[in-house]
Structure formats: C-alpha cells, structure tokens
Amino acid sequence: MTPTVLPATEAVPVVELRGVAKSYPGPPDVHALLPVDLTLAQGDYLAVAGPSGSGKSTLLNLLGLLDRPTSGTFLLSGVDVAALSEGERTALRGHRIGFVFQAFHLIAYRTALENVALGRLYTDADRKERHDAAKEALRRVGLGHRLHSLPTTLSGGERQRVAIARALVNCPDLVLCDEPTGNLDSATAASVMDLVEELHATGITLIVITHDPVIAARANRRVSILDGRLAEHRPLTVPETA
C-alpha cells in the first residue's frame, strides 16, 4: 500500500515518520493506522482531528514512544527510535517529549511546584535545579503566584496550565497535547489555547490531538484521521490578480 505523504514546511525535522503503520493481530487483523509519511520541522504546529476510534490515540502513542509501530521508521530529532531499548526509549521520552492530557494527571497531594518538578525526575538535575526549573515553567504559564497551591484548590484552567508547565519543564523537542480542552468550558478552553499558541510562538513544536474542529482550525497545519488513514488539509491559495 502506498503511504500518505505529508511534507514538512521546514527543512530540519523533529518528527519523521516513514511508512509507519500499526496493526493488531486477529483474526481478522485490525489496521489501527495505515502507512503514513509525516514530517514536522522545528516550530511546526499540527492538529490531528478525528472522531473516537479513528486512530488518534494510536498515532499519539506512537509519537509519544508509548507504543511501537508494526512497520515503518520513526525518527525523533534524527534518532531512530526502533533501535532503542525500552529503557532508552523511556529516557528519550522524558528528555525530548512533553505531554498535556485531557485529565491533567496531577498528583492531588503535591503542590503545583512539586507536580511540575516531577517532570524533571529523569534528568540529572538535583532538587534545587528541579524546583528552579519548575518555578520558571509555572511563571511562564502565568502561575507564578500559585507555586504552593494543591490541584484541588485550582480551577480547571489553572490545573491545565500546571500540566502545560510540566510538559515544558525539560525544554522538550516536541509537545503532544491530547484533547487539552476536553474537560474545560468554552471560555477556559479558548484561554488555554491562547496560552498554547503563545508558547508555540516561542518556537515549540506542537501536536494537538482533538475531536473539536474549532480547536483544530487554530493550528498552522491540520490532519484529519478516519479509519486509520491520515489526510492533510491544504490551505486555500488566492490567485494573484494582474
């Protein structure tokens, strides 16, 4: 099967998928993701939109090194991840990928500062370095005044900002957002996406997985996924007038 080809807009890739596919043995076999080529350069902002069961989670798990493809090659910042052991993949994920989840995944009995500092556990940083980096990340998302607050005392929008700070604390090559506004009201969702886009403007490479076409439309690049097949939406071009 000929893979879908989705070219990058920049030269140096952070993500490069070459004929990557994922299937599960049957009978019958389930083809969760059909072969795809996808390239993201430094600073790309990609939305992946599709309904439940379309293959979004499969793609997220592959990009986040939480699962391995059945076939194809995945290069993360030039590293062929298929050649790595599970320990090496865990270390690479901890250093180079940040995650923002719909359900926040914050530890209720840890402060905002401690939750964000946990994002640096897999580095060689000592406790002071971890906390200094966490403070800076929280200030970056507008929560410098909430360092010692527990998640239970934060609003939904504030909890998602803590989660975003945790994703950024290691200065990752790639940030993956899985339905980042799914648990928020429309006004808070818009505020969180405004923040995400401000951070993207600093050069962060960003992938947002969403079922919401309004959220998807905010990205610079959009991909739809249905029955495991990806298709990129090309921007409309206006013909020049004489």
Side-chain angles (χ1 to χ4, degrees), residues 55-77:
K56 299 194 306 295
S57 294
T58 298
L59 180 61
L60 175 75
N61 288 340
L62 294 176
L63 290 169
L65 304 183
L66 300 171
D67 200 359
R68 294 179 181 265
T70 306
S71 59
T73 301
F74 175 18
L75 303 178
L76 177 63
S77 298

mmCIF file of all heavy atoms in Angstrom, residues 55-77:
data_model
loop_
_atom_site.group_PDB
_atom_site.id
_atom_site.type_symbol
_atom_site.label_atom_id
_atom_site.label_comp_id
_atom_site.label_asym_id
_atom_site.label_seq_id
_atom_site.Cartn_x
_atom_site.Cartn_y
_atom_site.Cartn_z
ATOM 1 N N GLY A 55 -8.216 6.415 15.182
ATOM 2 C CA GLY A 55 -6.788 6.149 15.158
ATOM 3 C C GLY A 55 -5.961 7.227 15.823
ATOM 4 O O GLY A 55 -4.727 7.154 15.841
ATOM 5 N N LYS A 56 -6.623 8.268 16.397
ATOM 6 C CA LYS A 56 -5.887 9.357 17.044
ATOM 7 C C LYS A 56 -5.009 8.849 18.183
ATOM 8 O O LYS A 56 -3.848 9.231 18.298
ATOM 9 C CB LYS A 56 -6.845 10.424 17.588
ATOM 10 C CG LYS A 56 -7.718 11.116 16.567
ATOM 11 C CD LYS A 56 -8.373 12.369 17.141
ATOM 12 C CE LYS A 56 -9.147 12.137 18.425
ATOM 13 N NZ LYS A 56 -10.318 11.255 18.239
ATOM 14 N N SER A 57 -5.573 8.011 19.041
ATOM 15 C CA SER A 57 -4.816 7.523 20.197
ATOM 16 C C SER A 57 -3.648 6.645 19.756
ATOM 17 O O SER A 57 -2.569 6.691 20.357
ATOM 18 C CB SER A 57 -5.730 6.744 21.145
ATOM 19 O OG SER A 57 -6.698 7.597 21.716
ATOM 20 N N THR A 58 -3.865 5.857 18.708
ATOM 21 C CA THR A 58 -2.775 5.027 18.184
ATOM 22 C C THR A 58 -1.625 5.899 17.720
ATOM 23 O O THR A 58 -0.452 5.653 18.049
ATOM 24 C CB THR A 58 -3.280 4.174 17.009
ATOM 25 O OG1 THR A 58 -4.312 3.300 17.474
ATOM 26 C CG2 THR A 58 -2.151 3.339 16.412
ATOM 27 N N LEU A 59 -1.932 6.951 16.968
ATOM 28 C CA LEU A 59 -0.892 7.854 16.481
ATOM 29 C C LEU A 59 -0.198 8.544 17.651
ATOM 30 O O LEU A 59 1.038 8.660 17.671
ATOM 31 C CB LEU A 59 -1.506 8.887 15.542
ATOM 32 C CG LEU A 59 -0.546 9.920 14.950
ATOM 33 C CD1 LEU A 59 0.528 9.242 14.106
ATOM 34 C CD2 LEU A 59 -1.307 10.951 14.120
ATOM 35 N N LEU A 60 -0.960 9.002 18.648
ATOM 36 C CA LEU A 60 -0.385 9.655 19.814
ATOM 37 C C LEU A 60 0.576 8.718 20.540
ATOM 38 O O LEU A 60 1.691 9.117 20.926
ATOM 39 C CB LEU A 60 -1.490 10.104 20.761
ATOM 40 C CG LEU A 60 -1.011 10.701 22.086
ATOM 41 C CD1 LEU A 60 -0.480 12.110 21.874
ATOM 42 C CD2 LEU A 60 -2.123 10.713 23.119
ATOM 43 N N ASN A 61 0.171 7.475 20.730
ATOM 44 C CA ASN A 61 1.014 6.516 21.447
ATOM 45 C C ASN A 61 2.319 6.246 20.700
ATOM 46 O O ASN A 61 3.372 6.048 21.318
ATOM 47 C CB ASN A 61 0.255 5.217 21.676
ATOM 48 C CG ASN A 61 -0.839 5.363 22.713
ATOM 49 O OD1 ASN A 61 -0.821 6.290 23.525
ATOM 50 N ND2 ASN A 61 -1.809 4.463 22.693
ATOM 51 N N LEU A 62 2.253 6.223 19.368
ATOM 52 C CA LEU A 62 3.468 6.017 18.584
ATOM 53 C C LEU A 62 4.380 7.239 18.669
ATOM 54 O O LEU A 62 5.589 7.112 18.892
ATOM 55 C CB LEU A 62 3.112 5.725 17.120
ATOM 56 C CG LEU A 62 2.365 4.420 16.860
ATOM 57 C CD1 LEU A 62 1.985 4.320 15.377
ATOM 58 C CD2 LEU A 62 3.201 3.214 17.266
ATOM 59 N N LEU A 63 3.807 8.432 18.502
ATOM 60 C CA LEU A 63 4.600 9.656 18.559
ATOM 61 C C LEU A 63 5.211 9.870 19.943
ATOM 62 O O LEU A 63 6.318 10.402 20.069
ATOM 63 C CB LEU A 63 3.732 10.859 18.191
ATOM 64 C CG LEU A 63 3.287 10.959 16.737
ATOM 65 C CD1 LEU A 63 2.214 12.036 16.582
ATOM 66 C CD2 LEU A 63 4.474 11.253 15.821
ATOM 67 N N GLY A 64 4.490 9.470 20.984
ATOM 68 C CA GLY A 64 4.962 9.641 22.354
ATOM 69 C C GLY A 64 5.834 8.517 22.860
ATOM 70 O O GLY A 64 6.179 8.487 24.047
ATOM 71 N N LEU A 65 6.210 7.578 21.974
ATOM 72 C CA LEU A 65 7.062 6.436 22.329
ATOM 73 C C LEU A 65 6.422 5.558 23.399
ATOM 74 O O LEU A 65 7.121 4.903 24.183
ATOM 75 C CB LEU A 65 8.443 6.899 22.795
ATOM 76 C CG LEU A 65 9.233 7.783 21.831
ATOM 77 C CD1 LEU A 65 10.613 8.093 22.399
ATOM 78 C CD2 LEU A 65 9.353 7.148 20.468
ATOM 79 N N LEU A 66 5.087 5.542 23.442
ATOM 80 C CA LEU A 66 4.362 4.674 24.358
ATOM 81 C C LEU A 66 4.047 3.332 23.710
ATOM 82 O O LEU A 66 3.621 2.397 24.394
ATOM 83 C CB LEU A 66 3.070 5.354 24.809
ATOM 84 C CG LEU A 66 3.256 6.689 25.534
ATOM 85 C CD1 LEU A 66 1.910 7.382 25.737
ATOM 86 C CD2 LEU A 66 3.974 6.493 26.855
ATOM 87 N N ASP A 67 4.230 3.235 22.406
ATOM 88 C CA ASP A 67 3.988 2.013 21.654
ATOM 89 C C ASP A 67 4.951 1.989 20.477
ATOM 90 O O ASP A 67 5.549 3.008 20.126
ATOM 91 C CB ASP A 67 2.528 1.965 21.173
ATOM 92 C CG ASP A 67 2.072 0.553 20.823
ATOM 93 O OD1 ASP A 67 2.894 -0.386 20.926
ATOM 94 O OD2 ASP A 67 0.905 0.394 20.440
ATOM 95 N N ARG A 68 5.112 0.817 19.873
ATOM 96 C CA ARG A 68 5.999 0.661 18.721
ATOM 97 C C ARG A 68 5.177 0.378 17.472
ATOM 98 O O ARG A 68 4.176 -0.352 17.536
ATOM 99 C CB ARG A 68 6.983 -0.486 18.938
ATOM 100 C CG ARG A 68 8.002 -0.249 20.056
ATOM 101 C CD ARG A 68 8.908 -1.454 20.216
ATOM 102 N NE ARG A 68 9.881 -1.281 21.282
ATOM 103 C CZ ARG A 68 11.124 -0.834 21.100
ATOM 104 N NH1 ARG A 68 11.528 -0.524 19.869
ATOM 105 N NH2 ARG A 68 11.963 -0.712 22.119
ATOM 106 N N PRO A 69 5.572 0.931 16.323
ATOM 107 C CA PRO A 69 4.839 0.638 15.089
ATOM 108 C C PRO A 69 5.061 -0.798 14.636
ATOM 109 O O PRO A 69 6.078 -1.419 14.967
ATOM 110 C CB PRO A 69 5.429 1.630 14.086
ATOM 111 C CG PRO A 69 6.787 1.937 14.609
ATOM 112 C CD PRO A 69 6.685 1.859 16.106
ATOM 113 N N THR A 70 4.110 -1.311 13.888
ATOM 114 C CA THR A 70 4.245 -2.636 13.298
ATOM 115 C C THR A 70 5.245 -2.604 12.151
ATOM 116 O O THR A 70 5.990 -3.554 11.919
ATOM 117 C CB THR A 70 2.879 -3.123 12.779
ATOM 118 O OG1 THR A 70 1.926 -3.049 13.847
ATOM 119 C CG2 THR A 70 2.964 -4.560 12.286
ATOM 120 N N SER A 71 5.259 -1.503 11.417
ATOM 121 C CA SER A 71 6.182 -1.349 10.299
ATOM 122 C C SER A 71 6.524 0.121 10.126
ATOM 123 O O SER A 71 5.837 1.005 10.654
ATOM 124 C CB SER A 71 5.562 -1.902 9.010
ATOM 125 O OG SER A 71 4.353 -1.227 8.705
ATOM 126 N N GLY A 72 7.587 0.378 9.371
ATOM 127 C CA GLY A 72 7.994 1.748 9.094
ATOM 128 C C GLY A 72 9.081 2.240 10.040
ATOM 129 O O GLY A 72 9.522 1.523 10.944
ATOM 130 N N THR A 73 9.509 3.471 9.839
ATOM 131 C CA THR A 73 10.606 4.079 10.592
ATOM 132 C C THR A 73 10.140 5.384 11.223
ATOM 133 O O THR A 73 9.476 6.188 10.574
ATOM 134 C CB THR A 73 11.801 4.378 9.656
ATOM 135 O OG1 THR A 73 12.230 3.161 9.048
ATOM 136 C CG2 THR A 73 12.959 4.996 10.421
ATOM 137 N N PHE A 74 10.513 5.575 12.483
ATOM 138 C CA PHE A 74 10.206 6.808 13.212
ATOM 139 C C PHE A 74 11.515 7.403 13.697
ATOM 140 O O PHE A 74 12.234 6.798 14.492
ATOM 141 C CB PHE A 74 9.270 6.498 14.384
ATOM 142 C CG PHE A 74 8.977 7.679 15.294
ATOM 143 C CD1 PHE A 74 9.206 8.991 14.905
ATOM 144 C CD2 PHE A 74 8.458 7.470 16.565
ATOM 145 C CE1 PHE A 74 8.933 10.069 15.744
ATOM 146 C CE2 PHE A 74 8.174 8.534 17.410
ATOM 147 C CZ PHE A 74 8.431 9.841 16.994
ATOM 148 N N LEU A 75 11.828 8.607 13.204
ATOM 149 C CA LEU A 75 12.992 9.360 13.668
ATOM 150 C C LEU A 75 12.508 10.521 14.518
ATOM 151 O O LEU A 75 11.685 11.322 14.072
ATOM 152 C CB LEU A 75 13.801 9.890 12.486
ATOM 153 C CG LEU A 75 14.320 8.869 11.470
ATOM 154 C CD1 LEU A 75 15.062 9.575 10.351
ATOM 155 C CD2 LEU A 75 15.215 7.838 12.130
ATOM 156 N N LEU A 76 13.008 10.622 15.741
ATOM 157 C CA LEU A 76 12.709 11.745 16.628
ATOM 158 C C LEU A 76 13.981 12.569 16.763
ATOM 159 O O LEU A 76 14.978 12.103 17.330
ATOM 160 C CB LEU A 76 12.242 11.246 18.003
ATOM 161 C CG LEU A 76 11.964 12.329 19.048
ATOM 162 C CD1 LEU A 76 10.835 13.241 18.612
ATOM 163 C CD2 LEU A 76 11.657 11.697 20.405
ATOM 164 N N SER A 77 13.961 13.770 16.197
ATOM 165 C CA SER A 77 15.151 14.625 16.162
ATOM 166 C C SER A 77 16.357 13.852 15.633
ATOM 167 O O SER A 77 17.476 13.972 16.143
ATOM 168 C CB SER A 77 15.447 15.201 17.549
ATOM 169 O OG SER A 77 14.383 16.016 17.982
#
